[in-house]
Amino acid sequence: WGWYILGSAFNNTIRFTDAHAAYFKSLKLAEELNNTKFLLQNYNQIGIIYSYQKNSKQAYKYFKKFLDVALTSGNQGHIARGYNNMGISLKNEGKYREAITNYKKALEIFAEQKFARGIISCYSNIGVGMLVLKKFDSAQYYYDMAFQLGVEMNDTVSLSITNINVGELYREKGEYAKAISHYQKAIILSKSPDLIQQLRDANEGL
């Protein structure tokens, strides 16, 4: 457990190499003990760091390990997270159709659990995949669903992300005035220090 805490400390200070070393030591102990909780935690964190490092193949490998353990344990929340994370890794590899399949599996479980943040994440991720595949109507549908739920939750983060995504959609369609309008809305929503990445993405869109 100590190695996991140390890994998280390194992770929080963006020392990914040190974080990985600590997580792998923690993982070795989890595997020796066959401790499901610690296996899931370590597989997830190792996969996330590989994602940060743009190593989608290794990220997929550890997210797949996470999902396999989650499926064995039967924990629906973990299973949904596993599918969602695998979708992200597949998207990063350019495998958008496979990514969408995984997002939809996660969405089904999140919907059954009424886990709003998970639902919004899946709507957004599916919309991004549809946009890349040039399925503009489908992308709009999923973005609209994400926006509606974000409004209901008064979730500034998801609303900012959705406006950026819709801006990208309109830009792809050549409707630049509408694109600019949504980027500007995202900028207004992204004034909090917690939304630095969203603010940067919105400004890049402009």
Side-chain angles (χ1 to χ4, degrees), residues 32-46:
E32 290 174 355
L33 296 170
N34 195 27
N35 186 302
T36 298
K37 177 182 177 181
F38 292 153
L39 284 171
L40 289 169
Q41 289 177 330
N42 284 285
Y43 286 147
N44 188 60
Q45 290 303 125
I46 290 169

Side-chain angles (χ1 to χ4, degrees), residues 86-142:
M86 285 181 61
I88 292 170
S89 294
L90 289 163
K91 178 206 72 174
N92 291 339
E93 290 189 56
K95 299 177 181 179
Y96 294 99
R97 288 181 175 81
E98 293 178 50
I100 289 170
T101 297
N102 279 273
Y103 292 143
K104 287 183 175 179
K105 289 179 180 179
L107 175 59
E108 183 178 353
I109 297 171
F110 284 141
E112 289 174 355
Q113 296 187 323
K114 296 181 171 38
F115 180 45
R117 291 189 184 279
I119 294 169
I120 291 175
S121 175
C122 289
Y123 282 151
S124 296
N125 288 335
I126 294 170
V128 170
M130 293 297 184
L131 177 58
V132 172
L133 296 174
K134 306 296 183 183
K135 296 183 177 182
F136 296 141
D137 289 345
S138 293
Q140 184 70 66
Y141 168 80
Y142 284 105

